[in-house]
Amino acid sequence: MRRMGNPNRRKEHWGSRLGVVLAVAGGAVGLGNFLRFPGQAANYGGGAFMIPYLFSFLIIALPLATSEWALGRRGGRMGFHSPLGIYYAVGGKSRFWGILGGLSALTPLVISMYYIFVEAWCLVYALQYLGGLLEPLGLGFSLLDGVEPGLKLGAETGGAEYQGLFERFIGANGDGSLFKGGLSPLLLMTLACAFVNFYLIYRGVSKGIERFSKLVAPLVLICSLLVVGRVLTLGNPTGIEGQSLLDGLGFMWNPSRDVVLESGEVVHRTIWSSLANPEVWLAATSQIFFTVSICLGATCTYASYVRPDEDIALSSVTSTAANEFCEVALGGLMAIPPMIMFLGAQAADKFGSSFSLGFIALPNVFERMPFGEFFGFAFFTLLFCAAITSSISIVQPTLALFGDSLNLSRTACVGLTCLVVLSGTAFVCWFTKDLAALDAFDFWLANFAPFLGGIFQTILIAFVWNISSLRKELDRGALIRLPRFFGFVVKWISLPYLILIFAFWCYKNLAERLKGVAGSQVAQLSLLYMAGLAVGLLVLSVIVVRKWKREESAK
Amino acid sequence: MTLGGWISMTVTLGFVLGLFSWCCYKMATAPDAPDSPDDSDDESRDS
């Protein structure tokens, strides 16, 4: 079969095997690894949570991530790099799969819109700590002066200040508050982050993304090890009983514990009662599903740039393992234990969400920690680096979509992608009251849509493309042989399990969320905005698939 | 930290560290990929 896709585009490939592994792992390692995972593990049974977590890793993360790599490279060999083109090509030139692929590009597009904003939070916090570190040299500065005059993170401000500081900083007290009195430092940093993202994407996969990933990966590792090393050498910093290092680690890893219910009653939850609770399985599977960033379009887009005879079997397992290493070995040690050591076990209820843990609880901890400014700087630099490699990976599918479907130059594709993404970022930056727009985008496109996309993608791989083609693709240039039962697992275990978990997830979350949408204008506006984008993608997909069909029949 | 906590931490960290180390070892000792010309990527190579 002839190559398809955009004939005006120069063929791009990754420069090295290590480069693509670091880029995919960098795309997967994000705030979720360092903030969401520890919170979920601690809230859902600690050590008991790890059993369904590892089970889901083996039957969901590894099989689906590896399959997505194969899907992506197959599409890349046929000249496509976007989910639209890849689904169309691998789905036997079917209109249905092409259009579905086009619609699936909505997920990375919308996530990238708010991820750039969150990335800017990390950058501002990192610079804030850097300003404090430079103060003795007379070079100190504060980006939060406009938010809270004279306040510096790491200064003796008292813990209660951090919540208010964070809310004012992100504009959670009113829509449009970030735009009052000119551009706030946060908005300037958001623009700076967007510029870096689009510059790297403009440079291309090898010269931009790959080089940057090779530079940033060691930095993430160094910063993580610095923070973990500090946490593990703290002993009992407050001298309060129940707040030592071992208590912190125990809170994170003990499989049985006493839990205080909302009614105030204390119950002893054993490992067996946690495992019998379906919510623990749902939380663990959702966490593993989201952390590996499967079915977001990023992995298959990146894999489409792998050379035809290069290994993907070992590369996919390595990038997944690297992500797990960052999540469990680093994320599992650096966030919850120090929070328990400095703020006590009751803080876990108060700072349960990722943002509260990262931007309220941990700055509180760094303030009380010896050399806290330095470790605060290391921690937020780590978060920023993890976030920027993730945001680059989720912008890439949109760029590839325009590249595959419109006959545009690279510069025009980057410009168009930038325009679309920044329009959504502006929407999120305006509707900051209680982060309602960000929350709506996150719920529908980072939680709901990937499950749905994952189910369709696995059906495409297992039943349309079929398992023997998948195996053939994985064996091409493979450095390791995957077990023979791999295909069976994808088709008959991963897919039904994913459907089951999705059904349970909908049962647990949808009704409450829909009630919330009815009562919030911003949530409705956000849904409308996403629906508008979906219609745009649908129209584009229909036109492009029709054009490809015509070209095929003309040959 | 209870005995169960130590066991779950050791087993989980051991698993992810072991898997990641094995992958790093395989990556480091793998031969370089053969240079493939760009026009070699047609479907006929599958068969």
Side-chain angles (χ1 to χ4, degrees):
Chain A
M1 193 187 75
R2 276 168 51 82
R3 280 179 56 81
M4 294 184 69
N6 184 345
N8 294 340
R9 295 283 292 281
R10 189 169 49 83
K11 277 175 78 177
E12 277 193 285
H13 288 299
W14 296 102
S16 66
R17 191 180 297 143
L18 178 67
V20 61
V21 169
L22 289 179
V24 175
V29 174
L31 301 188
N33 294 61
F34 302 107
L35 300 178
R36 190 176 189 271
F37 165 74
Q40 292 281 304
N43 288 338
Y44 286 98
F49 174 89
M50 298 316 298
I51 294 172
Y53 180 84
L54 290 181
F55 176 76
S56 304
F57 173 72
L58 292 174
I59 70 155
I60 293 277
L62 273 179
L64 296 193
T66 308
S67 310
E68 193 170 341
W69 273 71
L71 179 75
R73 192 184 57 183
R74 183 72 190 97
R77 289 201 292 121
M78 295 167 86
F80 293 105
H81 299 291
S82 68
L84 164 65
I86 293 170
Y87 276 42
Y88 173 74
V90 176
K93 311 287 171 54
S94 132
R95 278 197 178 87
F96 171 77
W97 287 110
I99 291 168
L100 199 71
L103 277 176
S104 76
L106 182 69
T107 305
L109 172 64
V110 173
I111 297 176
S112 63
M113 289 170 171
Y114 69 81
Y115 216 86
I116 289 174
F117 183 47
V118 176
E119 196 173 296
W121 303 355
C122 304
L123 179 60
V124 171
Y125 269 59
L127 291 174
Q128 194 65 28
Y129 280 108
L130 179 67
L133 281 174
L134 294 177
E135 210 163 353
L137 304 173
L139 300 168
F141 57 88
S142 172
L143 289 176
L144 297 178
D145 272 348
V147 178
E148 189 72 26
L151 184 65
K152 287 182 173 58
L153 291 178
E156 289 295 328
T157 51
E161 293 295 326
Y162 283 103
Q163 180 142 1
L165 170 69
F166 178 63
E167 284 169 1
R168 284 188 290 277
F169 164 64
I170 58 169
N173 38 11
D175 290 335
S177 55
L178 292 178
F179 293 82
K180 280 177 192 154
L183 288 180
S184 65
L186 178 56
L187 287 180
L188 288 174
M189 287 301 157
T190 305
L191 286 174
C193 289
F195 173 79
V196 174
N197 273 276
F198 288 105
Y199 175 72
L200 290 170
I201 286 162
Y202 173 74
R203 295 275 296 156
V205 290
S206 177
K207 287 182 182 163
I209 300 169
E210 183 173 347
R211 280 187 193 172
F212 185 71
S213 300
K214 282 181 176 173
L215 189 79
V216 162
L219 190 62
V220 168
L221 194 64
I222 291 168
C223 289
S224 306
L225 292 176
L226 278 172
V227 178
V228 169
R230 172 72 277 194
V231 169
L232 295 181
T233 50
L234 278 168
N236 187 346
T238 56
I240 301 171
E241 201 183 332
Q243 294 190 197
S244 68
L245 171 66
L246 287 183
D247 293 310
L249 289 174
F251 194 87
M252 179 77 203
W253 295 99
N254 284 346
S256 304
R257 66 181 59 179
D258 290 332
V259 177
V260 183
L261 301 179
E262 279 178 19
S263 58
E265 187 192 350
V266 179
V267 291
H268 183 68
R269 195 165 282 167
T270 64
I271 182 170
W272 306 114
S273 61
S274 291
L275 288 178
N277 181 0
E279 283 185 36
V280 173
W281 288 82
L282 175 67
T285 310
S286 305
Q287 176 60 29
I288 204 79
F289 188 73
F290 300 135
T291 188
V292 185
S293 296
I294 28 185
C295 310
L296 293 183
T299 303
C300 80
T301 298
Y302 272 6
S304 71
Y305 296 103
V306 174
R307 289 177 191 280
D309 290 317
E310 178 62 274
D311 159 85
I312 50 170
L314 178 61
S315 300
S316 61
V317 177
T318 305
S319 62
T320 313
N323 178 65
E324 281 311 296
F325 169 76
C326 288
E327 177 152 301
V328 177
L330 303 175
L333 295 176
M334 73 167 64
I336 294 287
M339 183 176 77
I340 302 298
M341 287 151 80
F342 286 97
L343 308 178
Q346 68 279 9
D349 295 329
K350 199 174 166 194
F351 304 113
S353 79
S354 303
F355 292 156
S356 308
L357 176 62
F359 295 92
I360 300 170
L362 289 179
N364 224 318
V365 166
F366 292 131
E367 181 178 309
R368 293 149 202 253
M369 185 186 277
F371 308 107
E373 281 195 341
F374 174 74
F375 291 102
F377 173 65
F379 179 75
F380 284 102
T381 304
L382 147 76
L383 283 193
F384 172 67
C385 291
I388 199 163
T389 46
S390 299
S391 65
I392 293 167
S393 78
I394 46 179
V395 171
Q396 189 69 24
T398 310
L399 180 80
L401 175 76
F402 292 140
D404 277 355
S405 57
L406 309 170
N407 246 356
L408 298 175
S409 66
R410 179 169 196 86
T411 313
C413 284
V414 173
L416 188 58
T417 309
C418 181
L419 206 67
V420 176
V421 171
L422 283 186
S423 74
T425 308
F427 183 91
V428 173
C429 290
W430 181 269
F431 293 107
T432 47
K433 185 164 169 41
D434 301 327
L435 291 179
L438 190 154
D439 183 53
F441 281 10
D442 185 64
F443 179 84
W444 293 107
L445 271 308
N447 291 278
F448 178 79
F451 268 129
L452 206 56
I455 290 168
F456 278 112
Q457 184 171 293
T458 313
I459 291 172
L460 169 67
I461 291 169
F463 292 96
V464 180
W465 190 27
N466 83 45
I467 295 298
S468 64
S469 303
L470 168 68
R471 280 225 63 114
K472 223 183 268 179
E473 189 65 42
L474 283 168
D475 286 345
R476 199 177 163 125
L479 291 170
I480 53 169
R481 296 278 162 206
L482 294 171
R484 293 203 67 77
F485 57 82
F486 172 80
F488 176 84
V489 172
V490 171
K491 197 169 184 174
W492 300 116
I493 299 179
S494 305
L495 181 60
Y497 185 65
L498 198 57
I499 293 171
L500 184 75
I501 288 291
F502 178 59
F504 186 50
W505 184 89
C506 289
Y507 167 74
K508 282 290 300 172
N509 297 290
L510 268 192
E512 194 186 335
R513 173 58 61 154
L514 289 172
K515 247 186 248 169
V517 169
S520 162
Q521 277 190 335
V522 176
Q524 290 165 9
L525 210 56
S526 305
L527 269 178
L528 203 64
Y529 182 83
M530 288 184 274
L533 286 174
V535 170
L537 283 174
L538 182 69
V539 171
L540 179 69
S541 308
V542 169
I543 293 171
V544 171
V545 168
R546 230 182 235 176
K547 189 183 109 191
W548 285 340
K549 279 272 179 203
R550 269 203 309 273
E551 285 173 1
E552 279 288 304
S553 52
K555 277 167 199 164
Chain B
M1 180 126 111
T2 62
L3 178 65
W6 280 110
I7 292 172
S8 69
M9 188 172 88
T10 311
V11 169
T12 312
L13 291 186
F15 174 75
V16 294
L17 275 171
L19 179 66
F20 184 53
S21 308
W22 178 79
C23 289
C24 289
Y25 168 75
K26 293 295 275 184
M27 289 286 285
T29 55
D32 286 338
D35 286 335
S36 54
D38 276 353
D39 57 356
S40 66
D41 48 354
D42 58 283
E43 201 172 60
S44 61
R45 289 175 65 98
D46 275 349
S47 52

